Amino acid sequence: MSEITIKDIARLCGVGVSTVSRAINNHPDINPATKKQIQEVIEEYGYIPNNSARNLKRTESNTVAILVKGVTNPLFSAMLKTFDEKLKRFKFTMLLQHVGYEEDEVAIALELIKEKRLKGIIFLGLNYYHPEGELQKISVPFVLGTVGSIFEDEDLSHYSHVTLDDEKESYKAVEYLIQKGHRDIAIISAEERDSSVGRLRMQGYEKALADYQIPEREELICRVSDDMEHYSMENGYVTTKKLIESGQPFTAVFASADTMAAGVYRAVHEAGLRIPEDVSVVGFDGIELGDYLQPKLTTMAQPVDEMADAIIDQLYDQIDGRCDRRNQIFEGKLLEKESVRQIKKD
């Protein structure tokens, strides 16, 4: 989709360009109703006024923006290293933009396109709460990386994306615990309104229990606090501590991220319990942190380097005009370490 201009806004509102300019600059000499109409059209079409746009058009930019939700996530840190190396080979400059959990990444992307004349955009950790068609406002090539394969109002297959089958890989992680004899399995999950990765990993957990005819216990579904970073060690710790203090019996914990699992370890140890003798733990992501926990963490690993390479290749193909969109879903690999014990059958 081409970028909407001030002339387009004027045409849509049935006014002159100078009237639109006065509305944008809050000039007093303009009818309030007309100003309101112009502002509504600007918001609807995602037009971002930029006084320096004319000058920027004269300069070709080779900048690719990486919009990251969860910038402290070690998984993303590993990807960023690959992005930087590969973008340099393609003669692109990387612009890293942190996006807060409650911030609108599409609005930020639209602003960056205007300000930086971006060549392309990569979204990491996208949480999709936007109305249908919102992503269509983005006028440069973009790839959705490490996002859930389901959305509230929009089919992800309409856009280039590289991701893991989070539901399937979560299922496999929980199934591993079940096959080790565990039935009282708690999950440390993202909060309930998470419509992306968190929901998919929860669905994998629920499906594994159902397929093995294990009753789902609501008291073992532990959602993290919404007032701190969701996939953090702190949230894993606080949430697991509440679980232990509740007195509910459980023999295993599936943590939706390895960073959460690190918090699980601390809460378990503080309670005087042992891993895996008292509590077995499985994480998700396969980051380096897991090998430095004691005992080493069993986890469902994501193929980070391969996914990062695929994201850049997809974006470059779009920029070069070789491909409009391509969808790639990767498989994980269960890394069996030391944090899960076999429960003997009676």
Side-chain angles (χ1 to χ4, degrees):
M1 180 180 176
S2 60
E3 294 179 19
I4 191 166
T5 67
I6 192 170
K7 290 182 180 179
D8 295 325
I9 298 297
R11 177 178 52 80
L12 289 165
C13 295
V15 299
V17 171
S18 60
T19 302
V20 176
S21 178
R22 291 201 303 274
I24 291 171
N25 292 294
N26 290 316
H27 197 282
D29 184 21
I30 183 173
N31 183 286
T34 302
K35 181 179 179 180
K36 183 175 184 291
Q37 179 195 12
I38 292 169
Q39 290 172 336
E40 288 175 349
V41 172
I42 284 173
E43 183 176 347
E44 179 182 354
Y45 286 89
Y47 174 69
I48 299 175
N50 187 344
N51 293 331
S52 59
R54 184 178 299 174
N55 293 330
L56 286 169
K57 286 180 180 177
R58 297 173 185 168
T59 305
E60 182 68 20
S61 169
N62 275 330
T63 302
V64 170
I66 318 292
L67 273 62
V68 185
K69 271 196 172 177
V71 73
T72 59
N73 187 333
L75 182 76
F76 293 160
S77 298
M79 281 191 165
L80 291 173
K81 183 176 183 293
T82 301
F83 289 161
D84 188 42
E85 292 172 352
K86 197 156 186 174
L87 285 171
K88 283 177 180 176
R89 292 203 298 272
F90 288 139
K91 308 300 182 184
F92 290 129
T93 300
M94 185 175 85
L95 171 67
L96 180 61
Q97 177 72 45
H98 171 58
V99 180
Y101 186 77
E102 298 296 336
E103 287 188 287
D104 183 341
E105 54 269 277
V106 174
I108 292 173
L110 292 171
E111 187 172 353
L112 286 173
I113 290 169
K114 285 287 186 180
E115 291 181 352
K116 306 295 183 182
R117 308 303 296 175
L118 299 177
K119 204 75 170 182
I121 298 173
I122 294 169
F123 292 94
L124 286 183
L126 176 72
N127 281 313
Y128 197 79
Y129 300 119
H130 307 289
E132 183 176 359
E134 194 77 0
L135 285 169
Q136 294 177 17
K137 295 179 181 179
I138 299 175
S139 58
V140 300
F142 65 92
V143 178
L144 308 177
T146 66
V147 299
S149 58
I150 58 170
F151 282 63
E152 287 292 340
D153 302 310
E154 196 152 13
D155 185 355
L156 185 64
S157 65
H158 292 165
Y159 309 102
S160 288
H161 71 273
V162 174
T163 189
L164 200 74
D165 189 333
D166 288 279
E167 180 177 345
K168 178 181 176 182
E169 303 309 322
S170 174
Y171 179 101
K172 285 156 60 175
V174 177
E175 181 180 49
Y176 172 76
L177 286 169
I178 294 170
Q179 291 174 343
K180 288 289 187 179
H182 295 274
R183 292 181 62 84
D184 296 315
I185 303 169
I187 180 172
I188 309 299
S189 176
E191 46 89 38
E192 194 164 6
R193 69 186 180 91
D194 187 322
S195 63
S196 186
V197 170
R199 179 195 290 184
L200 290 169
R201 294 181 187 175
M202 172 62 74
Q203 288 176 181
Y205 166 83
E206 292 173 335
K207 189 173 188 303
L209 294 184
D211 284 355
Y212 282 87
Q213 299 181 327
I214 298 173
E216 184 178 312
R217 293 169 52 195
E218 186 64 31
E219 61 271 20
L220 295 186
I221 296 177
C222 307
R223 301 189 184 276
V224 297
S225 174
D226 199 24
D227 58 3
M228 61 184 78
E229 188 173 341
H230 287 195
Y231 295 94
S232 66
M233 299 182 199
E234 181 184 13
N235 232 333
Y237 166 72
V238 170
T239 307
T240 306
K241 189 174 181 179
K242 289 179 181 177
L243 170 64
I244 294 171
E245 290 173 350
S246 73
Q248 293 295 333
F250 65 97
T251 63
V253 174
F254 170 51
S256 296
D258 289 349
T259 45
M260 288 178 170
V264 173
Y265 268 56
R266 179 183 169 186
V268 169
H269 291 322
E270 282 188 358
L273 302 173
R274 298 167 299 165
I275 298 172
E277 291 84 357
D278 301 309
V279 178
S280 292
V281 182
V282 171
F284 199 111
D285 285 335
I287 61 176
E288 186 180 17
L289 169 69
D291 283 339
Y292 291 89
L293 297 175
Q294 182 60 39
K296 292 181 180 180
L297 176 67
T298 293
T299 181
M300 180 59 69
Q302 301 198 48
V304 176
D305 292 339
E306 293 90 338
M307 291 170 70
D309 275 335
I311 289 169
I312 297 297
D313 287 342
Q314 279 199 27
L315 186 66
Y316 185 73
D317 285 349
Q318 286 187 65
I319 292 171
D320 206 40
R322 291 196 294 263
C323 177
D324 288 334
R325 65 174 182 267
R326 189 164 68 251
N327 305 322
Q328 292 175 263
I329 300 178
F330 286 79
E331 289 192 0
K333 180 181 180 181
L334 185 71
L335 302 179
E336 294 187 68
K337 299 297 179 64
E338 305 165 347
S339 61
V340 177
R341 77 179 181 96
Q342 175 78 50
I343 294 182
K344 295 180 181 180
K345 295 181 179 179
D346 295 332

